Amino acid sequence: MQIVSPAALPAVDKVLAFAGVQALAVSHGRKPTLQAVRTVLGRLRACALEGSLPADALQEAALTGAVAAVLKAADRPALRAVFNLTGTVLHTNLGRALLPEEAIARVAEVMRRPCNLEFDLAFARRGDRDSLVEPLLQELTGAEAAAVVNNNAAAVLLALDTLARGREVIVSRGELIEIGGSFRIPDIMRRAGCKLLEVGTTNRTHRHDYADAIGAKTALLLKVHTSNYVIQGFTASVDEPTLATLAHEAGLPFMVDLGSGTLVDLSRYGLPYEPTPQQALAAGADLVSFSGDKLLGGPQAGILVGRKELIARIKKNPLKRALRVDKLTYAALEAVLRLYRDPDRLPARLPTLRLLTLAPEEIEQRVQAVAPTLANTLAAHASVTPIRLASQIGSGSLPVERLESRGLRIEPLGGARGRGRRLAALEAAFRHLPTPVIGRIADDALLFDLRCLEREAVPAFLDQLTHLSLP
Ligand SMILES: *Cc1c(COP(=O)(O)O)cnc(C)c1O
């Protein structure tokens, strides 16, 4: 192999004049192509200075190919689709809920065309954007009124800022939660300008703990659904009807942060039970907050439902304006809420529920569909073995429950030496595919849980395996 010096590098103009590079300038634009040529020549210069630049790299075809590769990489969107084979269905880092086609169509329409976001079509006057989903939320939860903000963290912040600024909020010590991404209930309270009054102990809180804490400065009793952990063993907490009665006797509102909010009893689909806003309201809660993109299966949003008078105050808070959501969120949320009007067909229509209720046998079919090709592709590098797995619901929903699943265990071949490095390289190879494949590393292997590999996506998944760049 002949090594060349930096002096052998062609000028930018010369590379730009290559027929292949001219064609790239037509398809990608002149300026991005010029930039790509500079990038390529810069890299080659660095190699040449190290004394490691082969003369072959300066041939027209090689240079053109390198410029095309730089342009292609630059065109790839930063935010793009991946295969979620982590086994966590509602994965916060992978975008949580997948939206139903109905919602996608509604979002596309309001992106393309003007819409009545804040225009009351009945009376030709300014409207309230929350009124687009309020009737559905009233119907589905039994609430008197509803408001929507950017996420549930914002909903909690806004509710506390409106109802408890400068005053005290009573919460059980067992519910002072931190959610991933450092959402901590005590921090939110501080931001909302209210004083946290912790009552009880980590594992046990009683009615009298709350009762003793109520005083002249109390603004609110708050119950937080401990969505991402459970306290087991010698435990006691106070149920919602008791807290509601206690709050109301003192003339105070009672709020429940449900975290995940499902609007149906999930046990009817064979899933673990999760409390619903309609139940919290029926138990006497005056205000309930929950997420749009957890078990609800909709867009990122925070939903507040409850008493008309409290929601009216919340809507008047200037912070509401700062935390409001756009037309895309309302379009998607409305479409998703509509699906809840027909719970019988929900698992077929709502992707989150469809994925959560997949039978192990259905997932097994996907394992059978991908295992042979995967094993062939990896033959010289890793073994591929079908295994039983346990999927998680994710996003702090139903933390201890696991769903029986199926998947593949991919183990690097060879002895113990360098095994960790080979495993990391295998994981990276899948992560660097055109549509990145995200699995998880556990028990010295790369695990793919196939629950979230939809049947229609199997061909695309297999096709791109030819791009795997294995060491
Ligand atoms: C997830 C969660 C939140 C935050 O909801 P986001 O929609 O992620 O902002 C707040 N409280 C509880 C109890 C949660 O589980």
Side-chain angles (χ1 to χ4, degrees):
M1 189 171 62
Q2 193 199 337
I3 299 292
V4 294
S5 75
L9 286 170
V12 169
D13 285 347
K14 185 167 174 222
V15 178
L16 267 180
F18 292 161
V21 176
Q22 283 293 301
L24 289 169
V26 171
S27 53
H28 289 81
R30 194 193 52 81
K31 198 174 168 198
T33 306
L34 173 62
Q35 212 144 23
V37 169
R38 289 200 172 121
T39 303
V40 167
L41 290 176
R43 284 180 195 163
L44 294 177
R45 171 162 294 112
C47 287
L49 289 170
E50 278 183 356
S52 64
L53 180 65
D56 290 356
L58 299 187
Q59 282 174 3
E60 179 167 340
L63 285 168
T64 307
V67 174
V70 169
L71 283 168
K72 194 172 167 197
D75 277 351
R76 188 174 287 160
L79 178 61
R80 54 200 219 266
V82 302
F83 286 106
N84 171 12
L85 306 189
T86 60
T88 300
V89 176
L90 293 166
H91 199 302
T92 298
N93 304 146
L94 301 181
R96 289 195 186 163
L98 309 182
L99 292 177
E101 288 307 319
E102 287 86 346
I104 294 164
R106 303 308 308 147
V107 170
E109 175 160 312
V110 300
M111 281 198 289
R112 279 197 198 99
R113 308 178 61 185
C115 61
N116 59 327
L117 179 63
E118 279 188 359
F119 185 73
D120 184 334
L121 292 172
F123 299 101
R125 62 183 179 205
R126 189 176 190 283
D128 165 18
R129 52 177 78 198
D130 281 338
S131 68
L132 297 167
V133 291
E134 207 163 11
L136 276 165
L137 284 166
Q138 287 164 332
E139 175 191 327
L140 294 167
T141 67
E144 290 173 12
V148 180
V149 286
N150 200 32
N151 51 38
N152 189 32
V156 175
L157 174 68
L158 178 62
L160 293 177
D161 184 87
T162 310
L163 307 177
R165 170 159 284 276
R167 296 168 67 202
E168 291 172 357
V169 175
I170 303 178
V171 196
S172 160
R173 278 211 169 80
E175 298 170 2
L176 294 174
I177 58 163
E178 173 179 309
I179 318 272
S182 69
F183 169 89
R184 285 180 167 184
I185 285 290
D187 294 342
I188 290 277
M189 293 195 153
R190 213 165 301 126
R191 281 285 161 171
C194 45
K195 187 165 174 244
L196 171 68
L197 219 61
E198 304 171 31
V199 298
T201 58
T202 306
N203 58 329
R204 291 173 72 82
T205 303
H206 305 278
R207 181 186 182 279
H208 64 78
D209 292 322
Y210 288 93
D212 293 349
I214 294 176
K217 290 191 190 142
T218 311
L220 185 74
L221 260 58
L222 175 67
K223 190 169 178 68
V224 183
H225 182 49
T226 55
S227 44
N228 53 2
Y229 71 102
V230 283
I231 293 181
Q232 274 179 333
F234 185 56
T235 66
S237 62
V238 186
D239 64 18
E240 286 159 5
T242 307
L243 283 180
T245 307
L246 191 60
H248 297 161
E249 280 169 5
L252 299 169
F254 170 48
M255 172 173 168
V256 178
D257 171 16
L258 270 188
S260 201
T262 171
L263 298 172
V264 282
D265 176 0
L266 292 180
S267 56
R268 66 177 282 169
Y269 309 111
L271 290 171
Y273 174 77
E274 172 83 7
T276 61
Q278 46 273 45
Q279 226 167 19
L281 291 169
D286 302 291
L287 199 59
V288 180
S289 76
F290 53 100
S291 281
D293 58 350
K294 290 186 180 172
L295 281 169
L296 188 75
Q300 179 189 305
I303 301 167
L304 283 158
V305 293
R307 289 223 327 266
K308 205 181 182 79
E309 178 260 331
L310 299 181
I311 296 282
R313 282 169 61 195
I314 283 169
K315 286 184 183 180
K316 280 202 203 96
N317 186 332
L319 252 191
K320 169 72 165 71
R321 172 66 170 72
L323 301 173
R324 76 180 186 186
V325 299
D326 72 345
K327 59 188 177 177
L328 309 187
T329 301
Y330 283 104
L333 185 60
E334 183 189 357
V336 168
L337 291 174
R338 257 177 219 292
L339 298 183
Y340 277 90
R341 301 185 74 202
D342 180 6
D344 297 336
R345 285 192 290 164
L346 202 56
R349 299 164 87 189
L350 192 70
T352 296
L353 204 50
R354 183 173 73 232
L355 293 172
L356 291 176
T357 55
L358 271 182
E361 301 73 47
E362 288 175 87
I363 308 171
E364 179 64 31
Q365 287 174 5
R366 288 160 207 197
V367 172
Q368 299 303 330
V370 306
T373 312
L374 203 54
N376 263 338
T377 310
L378 297 178
H381 304 272
S383 64
V384 177
T385 322
I387 49 163
R388 285 170 176 255
L389 290 166
S391 311
Q392 292 190 44
I393 294 170
S395 280
S397 307
L398 304 162
V400 286
E401 309 288 349
R402 292 289 183 275
L403 307 170
E404 185 183 341
S405 188
R406 297 285 187 274
L408 294 163
R409 177 182 169 86
I410 303 176
E411 248 180 296
L413 298 179
R417 263 196 74 198
R419 193 184 164 84
R421 197 176 26 80
R422 291 199 303 280
L423 181 57
L426 201 57
E427 182 275 334
F430 280 97
R431 183 160 40 82
H432 290 130
L433 282 170
T435 304
V437 174
I438 316 293
R440 72 186 144 101
I441 288 181
D443 309 330
D444 260 351
L446 177 60
L447 304 183
F448 286 167
D449 184 318
L450 297 195
R451 174 179 297 275
C452 295
L453 181 66
E454 302 251 37
R455 199 179 312 134
E456 313 78 69
V458 167
F461 176 80
L462 292 177
D463 283 349
Q464 69 160 0
L465 292 180
T466 54
H467 295 287
L468 262 185
S469 127
L470 293 159

